[in-house]
């Protein structure tokens, strides 16, 4: 562990390897020459300067992606060759896993273990999985009558724009890159301005792995670049993960331009239902705290509403508070720390504003993170736990995307289901009970794309991921994701005999 910590410290002083946009296989600055600084939330220091791409750069990237698609140098490549490229790419990323994890941690504050195992590790696993799938997917044949048969083929859409959030960019990026690329599309990747460095390096490594120039472009910048991609007349599909607010803008831009397809993975307010007959209340408390606070609550599926059956509420909340209070907060590159900073100063101010609103609503905090002494530089926050008996209160309704948990109570499972379904979101839900009947009853009625029972599992590429209601539509991960990046085409063949 000490050797690893020393290596992490060494890597933390290495300059980011890729700090330009990648268009047509070349590293480039914005045509305007504009740049923006990359500020580390660890200490507020600038660690890089990136091109601030605008509509002109996005247009260059889309033109390059279209040319690559039309040339068929990727779309026309045998799937087994695409497989080799994607697998080689995954291995190049794996070979730099710790370097990339340190870079991610410096860029947006994710604790180093999580950055290594979840963000980079799962990105590698995802690319391996889709790489392997590339040459194992077949299409359909329909025999219509004795003379006529039809091939029902998946055809790649063409140019896919992927717009990413900052909270786990390598992993979420891979969820989009893997299926879209193995299907033969070309892509323009637009990482978030708060977390671009790892994505840029991944795009550069794709070229090293043998991905033809122009197949994967990466443009840096913020809303201006994203909006230009969403409104571009020659982009066939936008695959987006981020806030509901920006998701709406993307749908509007798609409708106002070329009716490009859109898939949206948006926010959540996931309910975590703890019944008194949970198989292990101690484990339920431990998992709930890790899942909720692990990345400072900056996880779309984080179980931000803890619904506890009234008869065990006080006991369970005491345990959750004790565990959350014991988490060590500090530099995310220190292996001994559990939590790092939140992503930036304005996010911290927004979260503090939500807590102040709750104060004004008279909501009681069983744990008030504001009382904790924290590092004086950087954007650190400690976990807060509010206890309310009003499921409609603002803390229980609005996504905060920070370390603020709201505890609610209920008497029976039907009341819990009503509360759980009583938000505009529908991304995740959890239930803890040893009664199979209760579990199935709840799981069938909960409106959520991912339901964990008695701990379930962390993210896995084998399962589709996405939400209901205002959590968006379309699914990342699993073979289902490939369908987002293809359309069906019939080739109907008549024999003359
Ligand atoms: P955000 O919506 O602010 O930004 C996401 C991306 O959209 C960024 O790359 C940004 O530059 C870009 N963008 C901004 N304005 C745009 C515009 N007008 N047109 C096109 N693109 C534009 O989200 P964020 O703050 O990066 O991430 C946090 C949000 O993401 C939370 O709501 C969280 O729940 C959600 N999220 C969802 C999932 C999921 O899978 N459902 C996963 C992670 C995060």
């Amino acid at each position: 562990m000490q050797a690893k910590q020393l290596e992490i410290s060494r890597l933390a002083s290495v300059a980011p390897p890729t700090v330009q946009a990648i268009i047509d296989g070349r590293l480039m600055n914005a045509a305007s020459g504009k740049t923006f600084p990359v500020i580390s939330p660890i200490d507020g220091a600038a660690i890089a300067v990136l091109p601030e791409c605008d509509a002109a750069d996005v247009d260059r990237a889309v033109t390059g992606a279209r040319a690559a698609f039309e040339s068929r140098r990727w779309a026309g490549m045998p799937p087994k060759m695409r497989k080799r490229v994607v697998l080689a790419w995954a291995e190049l990323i794996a070979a730099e896993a710790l370097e990339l994890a340190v870079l991610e941690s410096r860029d947006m504050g994710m604790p180093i273990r999580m950055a290594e195992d979840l963000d980079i590790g799962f990105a590698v696993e995802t690319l391996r999985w889709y790489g392997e799938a590339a040459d194992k997917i077949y299409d359909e044949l329909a025999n219509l009558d004795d003379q006529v048969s039809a091939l029902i083929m998946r055809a790649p859409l063409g140019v896919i724009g992927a717009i990413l959030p900052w909270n786990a960019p390598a992993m979420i990026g891979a969820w989009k890159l893997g299926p879209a690329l193995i299907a033969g599309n070309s892509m323009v990747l637009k990482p978030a301005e708060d977390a671009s460095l790892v994505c840029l390096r991944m795009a550069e490594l794709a070229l090293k792995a043998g991905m033809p120039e122009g197949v994967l472009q990466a443009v840096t910048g913020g809303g201006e670049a994203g909006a230009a991609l969403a409104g571009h007349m020659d982009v066939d599909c936008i695959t987006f993960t981020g806030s509901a607010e920006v998701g709406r803008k993307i749908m509007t831009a798609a409708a106002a331009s070329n009716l490009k397809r859109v898939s949206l993975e948006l926010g959540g307010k996931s309910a975590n239902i703890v019944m008194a007959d949970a198989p292990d209340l101690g484990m339920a408390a431990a998992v709930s705290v890790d899942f909720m606070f692990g990345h400072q609550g900056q996880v779309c599926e984080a179980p931000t509403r803890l619904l506890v059956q009234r008869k065990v509420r006080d006991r369970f909340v005491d345990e959750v508070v004790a565990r959350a209070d014991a988490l060590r907060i500090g530099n995310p590159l220190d292996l001994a720390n559990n939590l790092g900073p939140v992503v930036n100063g304005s996010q911290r101010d927004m979260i503090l504003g939500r807590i102040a609103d709750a104060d004004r609503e008279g909501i009681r905090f069983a744990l008030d993170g504001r009382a904790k002494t924290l590092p004086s530089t950087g954007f650190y926050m400690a976990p807060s736990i509010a206890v309310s008996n009003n499921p409609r209160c603002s803390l229980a309704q609005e996504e905060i995307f920070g370390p603020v948990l709201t505890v609610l109570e209920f008497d029976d499972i039907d009341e819990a289901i009503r509360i759980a379904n009583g938000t505009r979101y529908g991304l995740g839900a959890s239930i803890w009970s040893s009664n199979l009947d209760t579990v199935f009853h709840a799981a069938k009625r909960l409106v959520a794309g991912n339901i964990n029972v008695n701990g379930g599992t962390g993210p896995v590429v084998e399962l589709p991921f996405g939400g209901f209601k205002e959590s968006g539509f379309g699914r990342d991960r699993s073979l289902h994701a490939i369908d987002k990046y293809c359309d069906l085409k019939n080739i109907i063949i008549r024999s003359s005999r």
Side-chain angles (χ1 to χ4, degrees):
M1 165 135 161
Q2 216 191 345
K4 182 156 186 181
Q5 188 65 69
L6 284 173
E7 180 61 359
I8 290 168
S9 306
R10 187 188 70 77
L11 290 170
S13 59
V14 173
T18 317
V19 289
Q20 284 175 295
I22 300 178
I23 298 176
D24 268 341
R26 274 173 296 145
L27 297 173
M28 288 196 185
N29 294 323
S32 68
K34 282 195 196 158
T35 58
F36 66 97
V38 175
I39 304 295
S40 173
I42 295 178
D43 53 9
I47 55 171
V49 171
L50 291 177
E52 190 173 335
C53 295
D54 60 16
D57 306 298
V58 167
D59 191 51
R60 274 194 300 169
V62 173
T63 304
R66 175 63 61 191
F69 185 69
E70 297 291 336
S71 76
R72 299 195 66 76
R73 52 185 184 259
W74 180 251
M77 191 185 270
K80 66 183 170 199
M81 299 302 289
R82 288 205 290 265
K83 169 174 100 171
R84 280 184 207 162
V85 173
V86 173
L87 290 178
W89 183 26
E91 293 324 306
L92 289 177
I93 298 169
E96 290 185 12
L98 191 59
E99 284 90 332
L100 292 173
V102 170
L103 194 59
E104 196 71 284
S105 201
R106 293 171 71 204
D107 199 356
M108 55 72 161
M110 183 180 262
I112 184 66
R113 287 178 206 280
M114 188 183 252
E116 191 180 7
D117 298 343
L118 185 83
D119 194 37
I120 309 299
F122 194 17
V124 169
E125 194 182 322
T126 299
L127 293 179
R128 283 184 183 140
W129 197 85
Y130 282 109
E132 275 300 342
D135 61 352
K136 296 173 188 65
I137 297 166
Y138 303 96
D139 293 333
E140 295 167 9
L141 173 106
N143 286 313
L144 300 180
D145 63 34
D146 225 17
Q147 270 76 45
V148 183
S149 294
L151 308 174
I152 304 158
M153 287 176 51
R154 284 197 195 89
L157 292 176
V159 176
I160 312 292
I163 303 179
L164 303 183
W166 45 261
N167 64 333
M171 174 181 88
I172 295 172
W175 294 354
K176 298 177 187 307
L177 294 164
L181 288 171
I182 63 151
N185 294 286
S186 296
M187 296 190 77
V188 178
L189 181 67
K190 211 298 283 170
E193 51 276 50
D194 277 314
S196 299
L197 295 171
V198 166
C199 289
L200 290 177
R201 180 63 179 158
M202 282 170 64
E204 195 179 19
L205 290 176
L207 288 167
K208 286 210 164 72
M211 195 170 290
E213 291 171 1
V215 172
L216 174 57
Q217 336 265 3
V219 291
T220 45
E224 190 179 349
L229 198 54
H232 201 288
M233 291 299 289
D234 204 24
V235 171
D236 298 292
C237 164
I238 293 284
T239 172
F240 173 75
T241 296
S243 62
E245 184 193 348
V246 174
R248 281 195 171 79
K249 291 184 186 167
I250 288 174
M251 277 191 88
T252 305
S257 54
N258 60 342
L259 288 173
K260 57 180 67 63
R261 289 146 180 76
V262 169
S263 72
L264 303 177
E265 301 285 351
L266 308 176
K269 196 74 204 175
S270 302
N272 181 15
I273 301 172
V274 179
M275 304 293 295
D277 66 359
D280 181 344
L281 282 170
M283 179 187 164
V287 171
S288 302
V289 167
D290 282 355
F291 195 1
M292 170 63 222
F293 294 109
H295 185 17
Q296 285 288 24
Q298 303 172 120
V299 173
C300 50
E301 205 196 341
T304 51
R305 290 183 300 152
L306 176 60
L307 278 54
V308 193
Q309 198 164 22
R310 199 160 275 130
K311 54 190 165 193
V312 290
R313 191 193 75 166
D314 291 348
R315 175 158 70 95
F316 191 76
V317 171
D318 285 350
E319 170 131 20
V320 166
V321 165
R323 284 180 177 275
D325 198 27
L327 294 170
R328 274 187 59 150
I329 305 159
N331 190 325
L333 293 170
D334 184 338
L335 287 163
N337 287 333
N338 306 107
L339 307 182
V342 298
V343 68
N344 59 38
S346 56
Q347 184 77 1
R348 184 179 60 181
D349 294 345
M350 182 276 293
I351 299 164
L352 288 171
R354 293 292 179 87
I355 295 174
D357 290 345
D359 280 339
R360 280 189 285 278
E361 286 176 51
I363 293 172
R364 175 175 77 83
F365 281 88
L367 181 65
D368 189 338
R370 292 169 294 187
K372 200 139 194 157
T373 309
L374 296 167
S376 53
T377 55
F379 310 117
Y380 293 89
M381 297 190 76
S384 289
I385 299 179
V387 181
S388 170
N389 53 15
N390 176 13
R392 308 298 308 169
C393 71
S394 63
L395 281 188
Q397 287 292 315
E398 301 302 323
E399 183 185 49
I400 298 170
F401 224 58
V404 185
L405 171 67
T406 305
V407 181
L408 300 163
E409 57 186 1
F410 63 88
D411 280 319
D412 61 33
I413 188 64
D414 288 311
E415 186 184 3
I417 294 167
R418 266 196 311 278
I419 296 172
N421 288 341
T423 72
R424 60 199 172 104
Y425 295 112
L427 191 54
S430 303
I431 176 159
W432 300 82
S433 170
S434 36
N435 183 323
L436 197 60
D437 202 47
T438 306
V439 165
F440 266 110
H441 174 72
K444 286 185 179 169
R445 285 161 183 78
L446 288 167
V447 184
N450 199 46
I451 298 171
N452 279 309
V453 177
N454 295 332
T457 177
V460 288
V461 63
E462 297 93 315
L463 302 180
F465 180 70
F468 286 73
K469 301 198 283 186
E470 291 184 38
S471 290
F473 51 84
R475 294 291 181 264
D476 281 334
R477 310 194 321 223
S478 82
L479 295 179
H480 293 287
I482 298 167
D483 293 334
K484 290 203 296 197
Y485 307 111
C486 299
D487 229 332
L488 295 176
K489 184 189 248 187
N490 300 327
I491 301 179
I492 305 153
I493 303 161
R494 174 175 293 279
S495 105
S496 54
R497 282 182 259 175

